[in-house]
Amino acid sequence: MRVDESQMCAVAAQLASKITMPFVLYLQGDLGAGKTTFARALLRALGHSGTVKSPTYGLLEFYELPAMSVLHLDLYRIEHPEEIEYLGLDDLFNDNTLMIVEWPEKGAGALPPSDMVIRFTHQGTLRELEFTPPRVP
Amino acid sequence: MKVLGIETSCDETGVAVYDSEHGLLAHALYSQVELHAEYGGVVPELASRDHVRKLLPLIDQCLGESGLTRDAIDGVAYTAGPGLIGALLVGAAAGRSLAMALDIPAIAVHHMEGHLLAPMLEENPPAFPFVALLVSGGHTMLVEVRELGDYTLLGETLDDAAGEAFDKTAKLLGLPYPGGPALARLAERGDAGRFAFPRPMTDRPGLEFSFSGLKTHTRNLWLEHNEDQSARADIAAGFQKAVTETLAIKCRRAMQQTGSGQLIISGGVGANIALREKLTAEGEKHGWNVSYPRLEFCTDNGAMIAFAGCKHLLAGERQDLEISARARWPLDQLVSAPRLA
Protein backbone atom coordinates (compact mmCIF):
# COMPACT_ATOMS: atom_id res chain seq x y z
CA MET A 1 0.00 0.00 0.00
CA ARG A 2 1.18 3.53 -0.80
CA VAL A 3 0.54 6.15 1.88
CA ASP A 4 1.36 9.69 2.94
CA GLU A 5 2.32 10.49 6.53
CA SER A 6 -1.20 10.92 7.88
CA GLN A 7 -2.41 7.74 6.14
CA MET A 8 0.57 5.88 7.60
CA CYS A 9 -0.42 7.06 11.09
CA ALA A 10 -3.97 5.80 10.44
CA VAL A 11 -2.56 2.39 9.44
CA ALA A 12 -0.56 2.32 12.69
CA ALA A 13 -3.72 3.11 14.67
CA GLN A 14 -5.59 0.26 12.95
CA LEU A 15 -2.76 -2.10 13.75
CA ALA A 16 -2.79 -0.95 17.39
CA SER A 17 -6.43 -1.96 17.72
CA LYS A 18 -5.80 -5.48 16.40
CA ILE A 19 -2.62 -6.79 17.95
CA THR A 20 -2.53 -8.97 21.05
CA MET A 21 0.46 -9.19 23.34
CA PRO A 22 3.09 -10.45 23.30
CA PHE A 23 3.75 -9.13 19.81
CA VAL A 24 7.03 -8.68 17.96
CA LEU A 25 6.98 -6.19 15.08
CA TYR A 26 9.97 -5.75 12.79
CA LEU A 27 10.23 -2.47 10.87
CA GLN A 28 12.57 -2.52 7.87
CA GLY A 29 13.61 0.27 5.51
CA ASP A 30 16.24 2.90 4.80
CA LEU A 31 17.08 5.97 6.86
CA GLY A 32 14.17 8.39 6.76
CA ALA A 33 11.74 5.81 5.37
CA GLY A 34 9.27 6.31 8.23
CA LYS A 35 10.03 3.50 10.69
CA THR A 36 10.22 5.73 13.77
CA THR A 37 7.27 7.81 12.58
CA PHE A 38 5.22 4.61 12.33
CA ALA A 39 6.38 3.45 15.79
CA ARG A 40 5.44 6.85 17.23
CA ALA A 41 1.94 6.66 15.72
CA LEU A 42 1.55 3.12 17.07
CA LEU A 43 2.56 4.24 20.58
CA ARG A 44 0.16 7.18 20.38
CA ALA A 45 -2.69 4.88 19.36
CA LEU A 46 -1.87 2.58 22.28
CA GLY A 47 -2.32 5.49 24.67
CA HIS A 48 1.17 6.96 25.12
CA SER A 49 0.91 10.75 25.27
CA GLY A 50 4.54 11.76 25.90
CA THR A 51 7.48 12.13 23.56
CA VAL A 52 8.63 9.23 21.40
CA LYS A 53 12.32 9.89 20.88
CA SER A 54 14.30 8.15 18.19
CA PRO A 55 15.99 5.18 19.86
CA THR A 56 18.94 5.18 17.43
CA TYR A 57 21.52 6.47 19.89
CA GLY A 58 20.16 4.91 23.08
CA LEU A 59 19.39 1.63 21.23
CA LEU A 60 16.14 1.16 23.14
CA GLU A 61 13.31 3.12 24.67
CA PHE A 62 10.88 1.52 27.10
CA TYR A 63 7.28 2.64 27.69
CA GLU A 64 5.05 1.49 30.52
CA LEU A 65 1.46 1.99 29.33
CA PRO A 66 -1.68 1.19 31.36
CA ALA A 67 -2.51 -1.93 29.34
CA MET A 68 0.95 -3.11 28.29
CA SER A 69 4.62 -2.24 28.03
CA VAL A 70 6.30 -1.29 24.78
CA LEU A 71 9.93 -1.92 23.97
CA HIS A 72 11.14 0.20 21.06
CA LEU A 73 14.49 -1.00 19.73
CA ASP A 74 16.72 0.45 17.04
CA LEU A 75 19.64 -1.80 16.14
CA TYR A 76 21.19 0.53 13.54
CA ARG A 77 24.30 1.05 15.67
CA ILE A 78 24.74 -2.61 16.59
CA GLU A 79 27.80 -4.13 14.94
CA HIS A 80 27.45 -7.75 16.08
CA PRO A 81 24.22 -9.54 17.07
CA GLU A 82 25.98 -10.65 20.31
CA GLU A 83 25.88 -7.03 21.47
CA ILE A 84 22.14 -7.44 21.99
CA GLU A 85 23.04 -9.43 25.08
CA TYR A 86 24.20 -6.16 26.70
CA LEU A 87 20.75 -4.59 26.29
CA GLY A 88 19.12 -6.69 29.01
CA LEU A 89 16.06 -7.46 26.87
CA ASP A 90 15.07 -10.52 28.92
CA ASP A 91 14.19 -8.28 31.86
CA LEU A 92 11.98 -6.05 29.72
CA PHE A 93 10.16 -8.49 27.43
CA ASN A 94 7.26 -10.51 28.87
CA ASP A 95 3.79 -11.77 27.89
CA ASN A 96 2.38 -8.27 27.97
CA THR A 97 4.99 -6.55 25.83
CA LEU A 98 4.91 -5.14 22.35
CA MET A 99 8.43 -5.22 20.93
CA ILE A 100 9.05 -2.90 17.99
CA VAL A 101 12.39 -3.46 16.28
CA GLU A 102 13.94 -1.12 13.74
CA TRP A 103 16.86 -2.56 11.71
CA PRO A 104 16.08 -6.12 12.89
CA GLU A 105 18.49 -7.53 10.28
CA LYS A 106 21.37 -6.25 12.48
CA GLY A 107 20.21 -8.50 15.29
CA ALA A 108 19.62 -11.67 13.27
CA GLY A 109 19.67 -14.71 15.53
CA ALA A 110 19.57 -12.72 18.77
CA LEU A 111 15.97 -11.50 18.61
CA PRO A 112 12.65 -13.22 19.21
CA PRO A 113 10.96 -14.18 15.91
CA SER A 114 8.61 -11.62 14.39
CA ASP A 115 4.82 -11.77 14.38
CA MET A 116 4.79 -9.18 11.63
CA VAL A 117 7.30 -7.44 9.38
CA ILE A 118 6.60 -4.11 7.71
CA ARG A 119 8.94 -2.99 4.96
CA PHE A 120 9.08 0.77 4.23
CA THR A 121 10.20 2.08 0.84
CA HIS A 122 10.49 5.67 -0.37
CA GLN A 123 8.13 6.54 -3.26
CA GLY A 124 8.82 10.24 -3.76
CA THR A 125 7.05 12.02 -0.92
CA LEU A 126 4.96 8.87 -0.26
CA ARG A 127 5.93 5.54 1.31
CA GLU A 128 5.23 2.01 0.17
CA LEU A 129 4.32 -0.28 3.08
CA GLU A 130 4.67 -4.01 2.54
CA PHE A 131 3.32 -6.37 5.20
CA THR A 132 4.57 -9.88 5.98
CA PRO A 133 2.47 -11.96 6.51
CA PRO A 134 0.69 -10.17 3.69
CA ARG A 135 -2.25 -8.66 5.47
CA VAL A 136 -3.21 -5.04 5.82
CA PRO A 137 -4.34 -4.52 9.40
CA MET B 1 38.84 15.40 48.25
CA LYS B 2 39.95 12.93 45.58
CA VAL B 3 37.08 11.27 43.70
CA LEU B 4 37.20 8.43 41.19
CA GLY B 5 34.58 8.88 38.48
CA ILE B 6 33.16 6.04 36.35
CA GLU B 7 31.00 6.47 33.22
CA THR B 8 29.44 3.45 31.45
CA SER B 9 25.97 4.65 30.45
CA CYS B 10 26.17 3.88 26.73
CA ASP B 11 29.07 3.34 24.30
CA GLU B 12 32.03 4.87 26.11
CA THR B 13 33.90 3.47 29.08
CA GLY B 14 35.33 6.52 30.86
CA VAL B 15 37.25 6.87 34.12
CA ALA B 16 38.81 9.91 35.83
CA VAL B 17 40.21 11.14 39.13
CA TYR B 18 39.19 14.63 40.23
CA ASP B 19 40.72 16.38 43.22
CA SER B 20 38.76 19.29 44.72
CA GLU B 21 42.07 21.00 45.58
CA HIS B 22 44.20 20.28 42.53
CA GLY B 23 41.61 19.75 39.79
CA LEU B 24 41.60 16.88 37.32
CA LEU B 25 44.44 14.43 38.02
CA ALA B 26 43.78 11.87 35.26
CA HIS B 27 41.12 10.86 32.79
CA ALA B 28 40.89 8.09 30.23
CA LEU B 29 38.46 6.70 27.69
CA TYR B 30 38.77 3.14 26.52
CA SER B 31 40.78 2.63 23.40
CA GLN B 32 42.47 -0.52 22.15
CA VAL B 33 45.87 1.17 21.92
CA GLU B 34 46.00 2.56 25.45
CA LEU B 35 45.01 -0.75 26.98
CA HIS B 36 47.57 -2.78 25.12
CA ALA B 37 49.98 -2.81 28.07
CA GLU B 38 47.24 -3.46 30.64
CA TYR B 39 46.25 -6.64 28.82
CA GLY B 40 49.84 -7.85 28.68
CA GLY B 41 50.21 -7.35 24.97
CA VAL B 42 47.25 -9.45 23.86
CA VAL B 43 44.33 -7.23 22.96
CA PRO B 44 41.06 -9.13 22.66
CA GLU B 45 38.48 -7.88 20.18
CA LEU B 46 36.03 -6.21 22.54
CA ALA B 47 32.48 -5.59 21.48
CA SER B 48 31.05 -2.10 21.77
CA ARG B 49 29.50 -1.60 25.19
CA ASP B 50 31.43 -4.48 26.69
CA HIS B 51 32.28 -2.37 29.72
CA VAL B 52 33.02 -5.41 31.88
CA ARG B 53 36.39 -6.12 30.33
CA LYS B 54 37.34 -2.48 29.79
CA LEU B 55 36.61 -0.94 33.16
CA LEU B 56 39.16 -2.34 35.62
CA PRO B 57 42.23 -1.78 33.40
CA LEU B 58 41.01 1.81 32.90
CA ILE B 59 40.68 2.37 36.65
CA ASP B 60 44.23 1.06 37.14
CA GLN B 61 45.48 3.29 34.34
CA CYS B 62 43.86 6.41 35.86
CA LEU B 63 45.15 5.71 39.35
CA GLY B 64 48.61 5.10 37.88
CA GLU B 65 48.56 8.39 35.96
CA SER B 66 47.40 10.20 39.10
CA GLY B 67 50.25 8.69 41.10
CA LEU B 68 47.69 7.41 43.61
CA THR B 69 47.04 4.06 45.19
CA ARG B 70 43.42 2.98 45.73
CA ASP B 71 43.72 3.88 49.42
CA ALA B 72 44.28 7.54 48.54
CA ILE B 73 40.79 7.87 46.96
CA ASP B 74 38.22 9.63 49.18
CA GLY B 75 35.06 8.76 47.23
CA VAL B 76 33.68 7.01 44.15
CA ALA B 77 31.18 8.58 41.73
CA TYR B 78 29.47 6.51 39.05
CA THR B 79 26.84 7.15 36.42
CA ALA B 80 23.61 5.61 37.69
CA GLY B 81 21.41 6.65 34.75
CA PRO B 82 19.82 7.35 32.40
CA GLY B 83 21.19 4.91 29.84
CA LEU B 84 21.32 1.26 28.90
CA ILE B 85 20.62 -0.81 31.99
CA GLY B 86 23.16 -3.51 31.18
CA ALA B 87 25.86 -0.89 30.60
CA LEU B 88 24.96 1.17 33.66
CA LEU B 89 25.04 -1.87 35.94
CA VAL B 90 28.69 -2.54 35.13
CA GLY B 91 29.90 0.87 36.31
CA ALA B 92 27.45 0.93 39.22
CA ALA B 93 28.41 -2.50 40.52
CA ALA B 94 32.14 -1.82 40.15
CA GLY B 95 31.95 1.68 41.63
CA ARG B 96 29.70 0.87 44.54
CA SER B 97 31.67 -2.28 45.43
CA LEU B 98 35.02 -0.51 45.22
CA ALA B 99 33.77 2.18 47.61
CA MET B 100 32.49 -0.45 50.02
CA ALA B 101 35.78 -2.36 49.93
CA LEU B 102 37.75 0.83 50.58
CA ASP B 103 35.20 2.00 53.20
CA ILE B 104 34.72 5.36 51.49
CA PRO B 105 31.49 7.07 50.35
CA ALA B 106 29.91 6.46 46.94
CA ILE B 107 27.61 8.73 45.00
CA ALA B 108 25.23 7.90 42.12
CA VAL B 109 25.51 10.60 39.43
CA HIS B 110 22.93 11.53 36.77
CA HIS B 111 24.61 11.32 33.36
CA MET B 112 23.05 14.60 32.18
CA GLU B 113 24.19 16.40 35.30
CA GLY B 114 27.73 15.39 34.35
CA HIS B 115 27.29 17.11 30.97
CA LEU B 116 25.61 20.16 32.54
CA LEU B 117 28.56 20.76 34.87
CA ALA B 118 31.35 19.76 32.42
CA PRO B 119 32.26 23.39 31.47
CA MET B 120 33.07 23.95 35.17
CA LEU B 121 36.16 21.75 34.70
CA GLU B 122 37.71 24.55 32.61
CA GLU B 123 39.54 27.72 33.61
CA ASN B 124 37.21 30.65 34.31
CA PRO B 125 34.32 28.28 34.98
CA PRO B 126 30.75 29.56 34.55
CA ALA B 127 28.92 30.37 37.80
CA PHE B 128 25.38 29.30 38.75
CA PRO B 129 22.72 30.10 37.66
CA PHE B 130 22.91 29.40 33.91
CA VAL B 131 21.07 27.92 30.93
CA ALA B 132 22.57 24.79 29.36
CA LEU B 133 22.11 23.55 25.81
CA LEU B 134 22.90 19.85 25.89
CA VAL B 135 23.26 18.69 22.33
CA SER B 136 24.63 15.28 21.34
CA GLY B 137 23.90 12.13 19.34
CA GLY B 138 21.40 11.00 21.95
CA HIS B 139 20.00 14.23 23.39
CA THR B 140 18.98 17.73 22.52
CA MET B 141 17.67 19.70 25.48
CA LEU B 142 17.66 23.10 27.12
CA VAL B 143 17.99 23.04 30.91
CA GLU B 144 17.78 25.82 33.48
CA VAL B 145 20.50 25.23 36.09
CA ARG B 146 19.89 27.29 39.23
CA GLU B 147 22.42 25.62 41.50
CA LEU B 148 23.93 22.21 42.14
CA GLY B 149 21.07 19.69 41.95
CA ASP B 150 18.39 22.24 40.96
CA TYR B 151 17.61 21.66 37.28
CA THR B 152 14.51 22.34 35.19
CA LEU B 153 14.04 20.91 31.71
CA LEU B 154 12.96 23.80 29.49
CA GLY B 155 12.55 21.82 26.28
CA GLU B 156 13.89 18.80 24.41
CA THR B 157 13.68 17.06 21.06
CA LEU B 158 10.43 15.40 20.09
CA ASP B 159 12.17 12.92 17.74
CA ASP B 160 15.81 12.88 16.56
CA ALA B 161 18.67 14.46 18.51
CA ALA B 162 20.70 17.09 16.63
CA GLY B 163 23.79 14.87 16.59
CA GLU B 164 21.75 11.99 15.24
CA ALA B 165 20.45 14.27 12.48
CA PHE B 166 24.07 15.14 11.60
CA ASP B 167 25.10 11.46 11.53
CA LYS B 168 22.12 10.29 9.48
CA THR B 169 22.28 13.20 7.04
CA ALA B 170 25.96 12.40 6.53
CA LYS B 171 25.02 8.80 5.74
CA LEU B 172 22.35 9.94 3.27
CA LEU B 173 25.05 11.98 1.51
CA GLY B 174 27.23 8.87 1.21
CA LEU B 175 29.58 9.49 4.15
CA PRO B 176 30.31 6.61 6.56
CA TYR B 177 28.22 6.43 9.74
CA PRO B 178 28.57 8.17 12.18
CA GLY B 179 29.57 11.04 9.93
CA GLY B 180 28.60 14.20 11.82
CA PRO B 181 32.16 15.57 11.98
CA ALA B 182 32.80 14.60 8.32
CA LEU B 183 29.59 16.41 7.33
CA ALA B 184 30.78 19.51 9.19
CA ARG B 185 34.09 19.42 7.26
CA LEU B 186 32.23 19.00 3.96
CA ALA B 187 29.99 21.94 4.88
CA GLU B 188 33.02 24.25 5.11
CA ARG B 189 33.40 24.10 1.31
CA GLY B 190 29.70 24.44 0.56
CA ASP B 191 27.37 27.30 -0.20
CA ALA B 192 24.81 27.32 2.62
CA GLY B 193 22.56 29.66 0.66
CA ARG B 194 22.07 27.48 -2.42
CA PHE B 195 19.34 25.22 -1.05
CA ALA B 196 16.51 26.28 1.25
CA PHE B 197 16.19 24.25 4.46
CA PRO B 198 13.42 24.61 7.06
CA ARG B 199 14.15 25.81 10.61
CA PRO B 200 11.97 23.21 12.37
CA MET B 201 9.75 24.27 15.28
CA THR B 202 10.86 27.90 15.15
CA ASP B 203 7.58 29.18 13.70
CA ARG B 204 5.77 28.55 16.97
CA PRO B 205 6.50 29.42 20.59
CA GLY B 206 8.24 26.94 22.86
CA LEU B 207 11.62 25.38 23.44
CA GLU B 208 11.08 21.99 21.83
CA PHE B 209 13.10 20.65 18.90
CA SER B 210 12.39 18.35 15.96
CA PHE B 211 15.15 17.31 13.56
CA SER B 212 13.63 14.21 11.97
CA GLY B 213 12.14 16.06 9.01
CA LEU B 214 15.53 17.39 7.90
CA LYS B 215 16.55 13.84 6.92
CA THR B 216 13.79 13.55 4.33
CA HIS B 217 14.45 17.06 3.09
CA THR B 218 18.13 16.24 2.59
CA ARG B 219 17.38 12.93 0.91
CA ASN B 220 15.04 14.53 -1.62
CA LEU B 221 17.57 17.29 -2.41
CA TRP B 222 20.35 14.75 -2.89
CA LEU B 223 18.23 12.53 -5.18
CA GLU B 224 17.52 15.55 -7.32
CA HIS B 225 21.12 16.85 -7.48
CA ASN B 226 23.42 13.86 -7.03
CA GLU B 227 24.91 14.26 -10.52
CA ASP B 228 26.16 17.69 -9.53
CA GLN B 229 29.53 17.48 -7.73
CA SER B 230 29.20 20.72 -5.78
CA ALA B 231 25.70 19.86 -4.53
CA ARG B 232 26.91 17.54 -1.79
CA ALA B 233 28.92 20.23 0.00
CA ASP B 234 26.16 22.78 -0.60
CA ILE B 235 23.54 20.46 0.93
CA ALA B 236 25.85 19.78 3.89
CA ALA B 237 26.36 23.51 4.40
CA GLY B 238 22.65 24.25 4.16
CA PHE B 239 21.82 21.46 6.58
CA GLN B 240 24.43 22.56 9.12
CA LYS B 241 23.22 26.15 8.92
CA ALA B 242 19.62 25.03 9.48
CA VAL B 243 20.57 23.05 12.60
CA THR B 244 22.85 25.69 14.11
CA GLU B 245 20.36 28.51 13.48
CA THR B 246 17.52 26.46 14.95
CA LEU B 247 19.59 25.75 18.07
CA ALA B 248 20.56 29.44 18.30
CA ILE B 249 16.94 30.60 18.01
CA LYS B 250 15.89 28.26 20.84
CA CYS B 251 18.85 29.33 23.00
CA ARG B 252 17.86 32.97 22.52
CA ARG B 253 14.32 32.17 23.62
CA ALA B 254 15.54 30.23 26.66
CA MET B 255 17.83 33.09 27.69
CA GLN B 256 14.96 35.58 27.34
CA GLN B 257 12.54 33.34 29.20
CA THR B 258 14.88 32.77 32.17
CA GLY B 259 16.57 36.19 32.17
CA SER B 260 19.91 34.44 32.44
CA GLY B 261 23.21 35.99 31.30
CA GLN B 262 25.22 32.75 31.15
CA LEU B 263 24.81 30.04 28.51
CA ILE B 264 26.74 26.79 28.48
CA ILE B 265 26.94 24.31 25.59
CA SER B 266 27.69 20.66 26.26
CA GLY B 267 27.46 17.33 24.46
CA GLY B 268 29.14 16.05 21.30
CA VAL B 269 27.57 18.59 18.90
CA GLY B 270 29.06 21.27 21.20
CA ALA B 271 32.34 20.47 19.43
CA ASN B 272 30.89 21.66 16.09
CA ILE B 273 32.82 24.77 15.03
CA ALA B 274 29.92 26.41 13.16
CA LEU B 275 27.68 26.03 16.22
CA ARG B 276 30.35 27.53 18.50
CA GLU B 277 30.84 30.47 16.14
CA LYS B 278 27.12 31.07 15.86
CA LEU B 279 26.43 30.93 19.60
CA THR B 280 29.51 32.98 20.49
CA ALA B 281 28.27 35.67 18.06
CA GLU B 282 24.79 35.49 19.62
CA GLY B 283 26.36 35.90 23.06
CA GLU B 284 28.27 38.99 21.95
CA LYS B 285 25.18 40.46 20.36
CA HIS B 286 22.92 39.91 23.37
CA GLY B 287 25.48 40.33 26.17
CA TRP B 288 25.57 36.73 27.41
CA ASN B 289 28.63 34.85 28.47
CA VAL B 290 28.93 31.54 26.54
CA SER B 291 31.00 28.66 27.97
CA TYR B 292 32.01 25.28 26.54
CA PRO B 293 33.86 22.26 27.88
CA ARG B 294 37.13 21.37 26.11
CA LEU B 295 36.44 19.28 23.00
CA GLU B 296 37.21 15.90 24.59
CA PHE B 297 34.73 16.56 27.42
CA CYS B 298 31.89 17.40 25.00
CA THR B 299 31.32 13.67 24.50
CA ASP B 300 30.77 11.09 27.26
CA ASN B 301 33.68 10.90 29.70
CA GLY B 302 34.58 10.00 33.27
CA ALA B 303 35.88 13.46 34.23
CA MET B 304 32.43 15.07 34.29
CA ILE B 305 31.14 12.25 36.50
CA ALA B 306 34.09 12.55 38.92
CA PHE B 307 33.53 16.32 39.05
CA ALA B 308 29.74 16.18 39.61
CA GLY B 309 30.18 13.41 42.19
CA CYS B 310 32.83 15.40 44.04
CA LYS B 311 30.48 18.41 44.26
CA HIS B 312 27.71 16.26 45.75
CA LEU B 313 30.08 14.50 48.17
CA LEU B 314 31.45 17.88 49.31
CA ALA B 315 27.85 18.96 49.91
CA GLY B 316 27.62 16.08 52.37
CA GLU B 317 25.53 13.73 50.24
CA ARG B 318 26.13 10.02 50.66
CA GLN B 319 24.57 7.01 49.02
CA ASP B 320 23.68 3.88 50.96
CA LEU B 321 25.04 0.45 50.07
CA GLU B 322 22.68 -0.34 47.22
CA ILE B 323 23.95 -0.50 43.64
CA SER B 324 21.90 2.16 41.85
CA ALA B 325 21.21 1.90 38.16
CA ARG B 326 18.21 3.31 36.36
CA ALA B 327 17.60 3.26 32.62
CA ARG B 328 15.08 6.13 32.85
CA TRP B 329 15.74 8.93 35.29
CA PRO B 330 14.15 12.32 34.60
CA LEU B 331 16.54 15.15 35.36
CA ASP B 332 14.08 16.90 37.66
CA GLN B 333 13.92 13.82 39.90
CA LEU B 334 17.56 14.20 40.74
CA VAL B 335 16.99 14.69 44.44
CA SER B 336 15.46 11.30 45.04
CA ALA B 337 18.00 8.47 45.13
CA PRO B 338 17.57 6.18 42.13
CA ARG B 339 16.59 2.57 42.65
CA LEU B 340 17.41 -0.41 40.52
CA ALA B 341 15.29 -0.29 37.38
Side-chain angles (χ1 to χ4, degrees), chain B residues 9-21:
Chain B
S9 66
C10 193
D11 295 3
E12 308 293 352
T13 317
V15 176
V17 180
Y18 179 80
D19 182 345
S20 54
E21 283 173 33

Side-chain angles (χ1 to χ4, degrees), chain B residues 308-328:
Chain B
C310 184
K311 292 286 167 197
H312 283 285
L313 288 168
L314 286 172
E317 292 171 48
R318 297 289 184 271
Q319 190 209 343
D320 62 23
L321 281 174
E322 80 177 324
I323 293 165
S324 296
R326 197 169 144 181
R328 312 197 85 176

